[in-house]
């Protein structure tokens, strides 16, 4: 039995995982990162558009600060987020970006003076402040009041991930590549690490640690067409679910991005629209202003995606052999801009579509993109039910995104969560010693060994590739952008059948070492369980909030549904997860529920909302002299680690 | 941080840097020299007189009263070039695929990719290897016959001394090797990169091709001329070229010329 | 729309070093071409329908992560963004990237190589004070031009095409190779990295370093991200050749 001991085990080598590892290493703890692939290939590298932080250096970001960012984030989440976490996040994000700058990210900078930009389909000249020359600049993104999305051309995630991994290499943090965590080791409500399969040799090993952090990214591959990498299969979430103790939060909250290319679903960044690109229908008509006269193409993602779908349902889509789509027009931005700031987009168009986006429209359609749901943690990043298990990044439901995340808030989350959760992980490592018996470790390894042997021994059974394809199709057709009770019921039923069939997988290539079919056979049953969580959660949630849009329940229902879905899978043999709910306390909200400002407001309000609003009024009146920091402290005291408590400086504004 | 203080404890030798400079420096001088050399040798195309004039000028005959010049000048020139040649060759050998295994790898690699610049490099290696022998012979001959550069003596060496195959091979090698080398030099040190480097590279490559073709043609024509002269001169091997002699040989033609011209024009020079 | 369907012939290198007694061989698979088909799509089809044991690496399938480099009809390139329609004959030969440790079939261990490269060139900002910066304060300013130039060199995805396309690297395994040079050029350009020329010389001042590069330019010609290898290696060479 191979056992590897460490203090802080991090599963996942994306931005979130690496940042947690760096934090625990900085505090002197032995740290190991596990990854399916080399860390720099993690899906974080695909983030093109940018990272939100309220630096307010560019002219269109003037007046931006934590409070504005907070308000955007909460609104964006359709009030489904945890406001404490959102607060921690907005306060730390500017520091995160500045630290990354010191670590080597070549953020695009402000050029003082005039420059031409496209806003609302027209060329406009804006004048950047000379004294901001050389500071980190920002671009416009959907759902934000200010230009707040910092970027490096359109390779933001790539440069961030490279800087982060380089930092990890500098610190000598080992990244064990081509390793897959396939089960968590736990006992008595405490997590002690993971059973890990080597994807080359097939060998199983136990990685035993004081604290285990899951940062395995999203679960987009539950869907047939997604912008996500093919490794975004949610295995990290699934192994947490399979403990029967840790819970997954808000799994039904799945985001669709408006502009992925047809048919392959590769993303063209929101930066396309942020920089002035337009959405057109089959007649070349710009339809978004009809639906959202205010924010138009730059409404929140869930909104734009739904409007596009609506418009196509009216027969305005361009028909193609792959179904209907719409056009994304960035020709008006001009060659120079596209070749410099949207170069990856250009490459993607050239290689995958054979078109030149400088001259031609890009065929796009809303496509699965982001998983707001994930391992439920409290604000420290720790699972409330399984101690010693932490989670960060897209894999977590730390819950700053609620039911819809804003573009640019995700890579920001990975880094900020990495910083903050990393501190709590270190605190945990400092406060606890490792007490796990070899018998326990052996038990978990043997359990996995047996599953694999069973797979290799079975003569006849299901084909894992087929099961996966069927699951993906169900999710696509029945748990998509618009959902309804009928379809969801069908989806849940069909997935039940798949779940049963998944117990009978047999292989054609029966070797235990590197074997893609075996990898699939291990993953598919886990993925089907996750799909169940999504579909079942969506079926039960009879309201529309953020990305979860029920045609049969179009209104946001704060009265009954201002709560977070918690899913657990206690009994290995069951076909459905157990679903519970956790209330969001309106009386503690810094920003009580209100309207997001899209379409008609048909919210069914929570009885506490009015109370809380007037309470806030009273507090404000009672403290007339309070500045924004003091007010925030009164309304929403948060527990930011000491390291990150400082106020953020901004050009022309100082620390105010 | 971790390795910020490397500098203080150990220091890498600067030799590789110097050697690289030497490789390029000798290559550059040799490459440019060969262009000049081809023009000089190519003067035979314009006639024996022209070649003779060049040869004598090289011997610095204009400085001497006798008109014989100082063959020692040629000797030292050859010595210098020979030295550069040897240095360059020794430096070049370092880059050769030294083992059979390495050779296999490069050949495999070329078969796999069929990539122009890699192929060009391989041509350089092969031609360099050949020149190591062929060039040495030529330079040795030049070194030992400093005064022996003369339309007839040169042509005799080619034909009666049967050196022409060697020259032919050497010519092909040096033209390929030299122009590829000069192109590589520009790439290696990033010269002429103004504007778009990719375009510059394309332009330089075209220029290189043209240079090869030009000098190769010039060389072949010169070689043929030498061979023709050498064949005609087979019976009088060892005899030097002299203007006078030429005049005698050409007496009938001269007479005709003289007749055709006015007497006033026929004055001897 | 009535595209003619072609039958593509994939000749694929097969060898699993993990499997005792396995021998390297070429195996041919036939796939019906679909419009917009990439090698990524075709290989997955082969794995799902014909031979589940075949190994290859894809992650982003969008030409972003650098996982999927392999030799396609003689050219090292990113397989995920290579359309099958590019090959008129319909014959496609796939080999694993040479010069890397073979994991199996088309999968090679570029990750291990790249980590070693990063360690060798010390691929991080060298600044004694970087960890003492107060991140509450305004960040250090940077010339916007310089930031853009750094980004140009930062676009490398560590795919390894330039390594496989370099005959020098293949002949001399210790040669740093193009991807390392690009990384060094990136840090040499960055004003935040305080390394001196002498310190860079320690890393690349020998025949396994920049002086070993024979300017074969396979790196430049096969880099899927169009990085400017030629000018950058020349820049490093100039910089290093005159270090005192
Ligand atoms: C195309 C695209 C564009 C995007 N653009 C933006 C943008 O512009 N702005 C923005 O804010 N966000 C964007 N996002 C979202 C954002 O990129 C991701 O949410 C974020 O990068 C996720 O980072 P992560 O660290 O959580 O996970 P990832 O980067 O996905 O890393 C997951 C890691 O976990 C490892 N792993 C997974 N499973 C296992 C296992 N079982 N065992 C061991 N290791 C495992 C993987 O190897 C990998 O290293 C984009 C997303 C996509 C898909
Ligand atoms: C004895 C015969 C010769 C040998 C063995 C030889 C070998 C080589 C080799 C191996 C290279 C490649 C160096 C590298 O890749 O770094 C080279 C480069 C070069 N050679 Fe030669 N060579 C010889 C003669 C010549 C001659 C006669 C000339 C003049 C025309 C010449 C001109 C050049 C030039 C210009 C270069 C490029 C310099 C550089 O890359 O630094 N070589 N030679
Ligand atoms: C200073 C040094 C040199 C001198 C003085 C010199 C001189 C000559 C002379 C006089 C000839 C005419 C033939 C003869 O007389 O034999 C000749 C021909 C030739 N030389 Fe040189 N040479 C020199 C260096 C070189 C070098 C270094 C090379 C290449 C490696 C070279 C390649 C040739 C070739 C290929 C020819 C035949 C040209 C033709 O007729 O097409 N020479 N050289
Ligand atoms: S330099 Fe280019 S070819 Fe080399 S690894 Fe980077 S992206 Fe790939
Ligand atoms: S191919 Fe190799 S030899 Fe140099 S120019 Fe590129 S590294
Ligand atoms: S799979 Fe990411 S580059 Fe091809």
């Amino acid at each position: 039995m191979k056992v590897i001991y460490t203090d802080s085990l991090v599963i996942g080598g994306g931005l979130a995982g690496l940042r947690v590892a760096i934090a625990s290493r900085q505090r002197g703890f032995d740290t190991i990162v596990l990854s399916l692939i080399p860390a720099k290939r993690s899906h974080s590298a695909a983030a093109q558009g940018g990272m939100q932080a309220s630096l307010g250096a560019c002219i269109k970001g003037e007046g931006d600060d934590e409070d504005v960012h907070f308000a955007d984030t909460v609104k964006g989440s359709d009030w489904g987020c945890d406001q404490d976490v959102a607060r921690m996040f907005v306060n730390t994000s500017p520091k995160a970006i500045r630290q990354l700058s010191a670590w080597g990210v070549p953020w695009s900078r402000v050029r003082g003076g005039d420059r031409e930009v496209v806003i609302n389909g027209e060329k406009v000249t804006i004048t950047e402040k000379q004294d901001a020359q050389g500071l980190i600049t920002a671009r416009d993104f959907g759902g934000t009041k200010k230009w707040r999305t910092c970027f490096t051309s359109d390779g933001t995630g790539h440069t961030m991930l490279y800087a982060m991994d380089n930092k990890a290499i500098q610190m000598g943090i080992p990244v064990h590549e081509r390793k897959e965590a396939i089960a968590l080791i736990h006992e008595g409500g405490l997590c002690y690490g993971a059973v890990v399969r080597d994807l080359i040799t097939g060998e199983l090993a136990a990685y035993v640690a004081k604290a285990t952090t899951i940062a395995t990214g999203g679960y987009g591959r539950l869907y047939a067409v997604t912008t996500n990498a093919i490794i975004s299969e949610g295995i990290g979430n699934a192994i947490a679910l399979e403990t029967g103790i840790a819970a997954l939060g808000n799994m039904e909250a799945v985001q669709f991005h408006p502009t992925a290319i047809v048919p392959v679903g590769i993303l063209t960044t929101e930066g396309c629209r942020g920089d002035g690109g337009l959405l057109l229908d089959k007649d070349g008509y710009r339809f978004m202003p009809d639906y959202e006269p205010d924010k138009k193409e730059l409404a929140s993602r869930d909104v734009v995606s739904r409007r596009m779908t609506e418009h196509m349902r009216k027969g305005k889509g361009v028909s193609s052999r792959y179904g209907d789509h719409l056009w994304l027009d960035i020709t008006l931005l001009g060659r120079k801009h596209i070749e410099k700031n949207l170069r990856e987009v250009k490459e993607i168009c050239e290689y995958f579509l054979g078109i030149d986006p400088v001259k031609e429209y890009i065929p796009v359609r809303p496509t699965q993109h982001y998983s707001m749901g994930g391992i439920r943690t409290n604000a420290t990043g720790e699972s409330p039910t399984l101690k010693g298990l932490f989670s960060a990044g897209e894999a977590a439901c730390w819950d700053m995104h609620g039911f819809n995340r804003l573009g640019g808030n995700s890579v920001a989350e990975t880094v900020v969560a990495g910083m903050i959760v990393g501190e709590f992980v270190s605190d945990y490592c400092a406060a606890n010693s490792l007490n796990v018996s070899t018998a326990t470790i052996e038990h978990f390894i043997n359990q996995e060994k047996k599953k694999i042997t069973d797979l290799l021994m079975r003569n006849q059974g299901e084909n894992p590739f087929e099961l996966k394809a069927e699951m993906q199709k169900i999710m696509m057709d029945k748990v998509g952008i618009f959902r309804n009770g009928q379809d969801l019921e069908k989806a849940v039923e069909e997935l039940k059948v798949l779940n049963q069939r998944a117990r009978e997988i047999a292989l054609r290539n029966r070797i235990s070492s590197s074997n893609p079919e075996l990898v699939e056979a291990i993953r598919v049953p886990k993925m089907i369980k996750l799909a169940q969580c999504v579909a079942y959660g969506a079926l039960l949630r009879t309201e529309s909030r953020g990305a979860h849009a029920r045609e049969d329940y179009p209104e946001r229902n704060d009265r009954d549904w201002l709560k977070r879905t918690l899913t657990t899978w206690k009994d290995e043999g069951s076909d459905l997860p157990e679903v519970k709910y956790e209330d969001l306390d309106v009386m503690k909200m810094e920003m009580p529920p209100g309207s997001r400002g899209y379409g008609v407001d048909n919210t069914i309000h929570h009885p506490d909302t009015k109370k809380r609003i007037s309470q806030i009024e009273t507090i404000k009146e009672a403290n007339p002299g309070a500045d924004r920091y003091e007010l925030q402290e009164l309304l929403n005291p948060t527990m930011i680690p000491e390291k990150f408590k400082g106020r953020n400086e901004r050009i022309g504004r100082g620390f105010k | 941080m971790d390795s910020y203080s490397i500098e203080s404890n150990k220091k890498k030798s600067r030799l590789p840097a110097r050697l690289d400079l030497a490789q390029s420096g000798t290559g550059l001088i040799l490459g440019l020299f060969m262009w000049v050399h081809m023009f000089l040798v190519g003067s035979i195309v314009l006639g024996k007189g022209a070649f003779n004039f060049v040869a004598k000028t090289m011997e610095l005959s204009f400085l001497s009263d006798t008109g014989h010049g100082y063959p020692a000048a040629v000797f030292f020139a050859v010595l210098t070039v020979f030295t550069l040649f040897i240095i360059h060759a020794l430096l070049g050998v370092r880059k050769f695929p030294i083992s059979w295994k390495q050779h296999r790898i490069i050949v495999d690699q070329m078969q796999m990719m069929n990539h122009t610049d890699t192929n060009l490099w391989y041509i350089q290696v092969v031609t360099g290897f050949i020149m190591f022998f062929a060039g040495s012979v030529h330079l040795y001959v030049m070194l030992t016959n400093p005064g022996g550069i003369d339309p007839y003596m040169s042509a005799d060496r080619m034909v009666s001394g049967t050196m022409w195959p060697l020259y032919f091979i050497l010519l092909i090698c040096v033209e390929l090797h030299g122009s590829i080398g000069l192109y590589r030099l520009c790439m290696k040190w990033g010269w002429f990169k103004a504007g778009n480097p990719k375009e510059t590279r394309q332009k330089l490559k075209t220029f290189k091709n043209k240079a090869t073709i030009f000098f190769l043609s010039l060389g072949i024509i010169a070689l043929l001329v030498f061979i023709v002269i050498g064949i005609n001169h087979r019976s009088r091997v060892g005899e030097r070229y002299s203007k006078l002699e030429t005049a005698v040989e050409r007496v009938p033609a001269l007479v005709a010329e003289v007749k055709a011209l006015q007497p006033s024009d026929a004055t001897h020079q | 729309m009535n595209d003619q369907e072609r039958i593509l012939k994939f000749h694929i290198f097969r060898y699993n070093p993990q499997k005792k007694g396995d021998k390297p061989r070429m195996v041919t698979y036939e796939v019906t071409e679909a419009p917009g088909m990439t090698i990524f799509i075709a290989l997955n089809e082969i794995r799902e329908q014909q031979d589940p044991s075949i190994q290859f690496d894809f992650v982003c399938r969008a030409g972003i992560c650098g996982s999927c480099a392999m030799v396609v009809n003689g050219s090292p390139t990113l397989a995920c963004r290579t359309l099958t329609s590019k090959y008129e004959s319909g014959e496609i030969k796939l080999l694993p990237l040479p010069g890397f440790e073979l994991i199996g079939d088309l999968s090679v261990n570029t990750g291990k190589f790249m980590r070693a490269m990063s360690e060798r060139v010390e691929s991080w900002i060298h600044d004694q004070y970087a960890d003492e910066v107060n991140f509450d304060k305004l960040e250090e300013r940077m010339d916007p031009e310089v930031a853009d130039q750094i980004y140009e060199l930062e676009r490398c995805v560590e795919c390894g095409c330039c390594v496989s396309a370099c005959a020098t690297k293949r002949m001399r395994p210790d040669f740093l190779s193009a991807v390392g040079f690009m990384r060094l050029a990136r840090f040499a350009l960055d004003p935040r990295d305080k390394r001196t020329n002498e310190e860079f010389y320690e890393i690349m001042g020998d025949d396994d370093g920049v002086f070993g590069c024979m300017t074969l330019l396979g790196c430049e010609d096969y880099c899927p991200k169009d990085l400017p290898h030629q000018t950058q290696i020349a820049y490093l060479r100039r910089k290093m050749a005159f270090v005192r």
Side-chain angles (χ1 to χ4, degrees), chain A residues 6 37 74 120 128 140 160 178 192 241 416 569:
Chain A
T6 183
I37 47 164
V74 174
N120 195 13
E128 295 286 358
D140 200 6
M160 289 172 70
R178 296 186 187 260
Y192 293 111
L241 182 69
V416 170
W569 201 292

Side-chain angles (χ1 to χ4, degrees), chain A residues 18 22 39-40 162-175, chain B residues 2, chain C residues 114-120 122-124 158 183:
Chain A
L18 289 172
I22 289 171
K40 284 193 174 91
Y162 271 51
M164 195 70 91
D165 189 43
N166 286 338
K167 185 73 189 170
I169 294 175
Q170 177 187 8
M171 297 177 73
I173 296 171
V175 179
Chain B
D2 300 348
Chain C
M114 294 299 169
R115 168 96 185 198
M117 179 278 291
S118 290
E119 284 168 358
R120 180 164 164 190
E122 301 183 8
S123 162
W124 53 84
E158 296 196 346
R183 191 57 54 78

Side-chain angles (χ1 to χ4, degrees), chain A residues 41 95 98 101 104-105 111 131 133-134 136 158 166 173 226 230 322 340 343 347 514 649, chain C residues 35 55 59 61 65 67 110 115 123 136 138-139 141-142 148 152 154-156 158 186 192 225:
Chain A
R41 310 218 188 287
K95 302 181 215 304
R98 287 171 175 163
S101 178
V105 176
R111 279 184 176 78
D131 62 352
Q133 164 90 10
I136 297 169
H158 172 89
N166 286 338
I173 296 171
T226 163
I230 56 175
Y322 301 106
K340 181 153 163 281
R343 180 140 139 204
E347 268 186 23
S514 78
E649 190 186 6
Chain C
Q55 298 180 53
V59 176
R61 61 82 179 84
C65 72
S67 302
T110 45
R115 168 96 185 198
S123 162
D136 298 339
L138 286 187
E139 64 277 9
R141 290 170 198 253
M142 185 187 263
D148 289 351
E152 284 304 301
E154 181 89 9
R155 293 178 74 248
C156 165
E158 296 196 346
R186 179 242 171 275
R192 292 169 295 195
K225 292 287 155 185

Side-chain angles (χ1 to χ4, degrees), chain A residues 11-17 34-39 41-52 141 149 156 161 179-182 215-218 227-229 231-232 234-236 239 267 269-270 301 369-370 392-395 405-412 414, chain C residues 64:
Chain A
I11 306 174
L15 279 171
L34 298 176
S35 175
L36 299 173
I37 47 164
R41 310 218 188 287
S42 298
H43 203 49
S44 295
Q48 303 168 341
M51 156 164 178
Q52 284 205 36
F141 247 38
T149 306
T156 315
L161 184 60
K179 306 270 185 193
E180 175 163 14
I182 54 173
T216 50
T227 63
N228 286 192
I231 58 159
S232 301
I235 303 308
I239 60 177
L267 184 81
T269 168
E270 186 151 324
R301 276 185 189 169
H369 179 59
Y370 186 81
E394 194 172 341
R405 112 168 133 96
L406 297 182
N409 254 358
S410 173
V411 286
T414 60
Chain C
I64 294 171

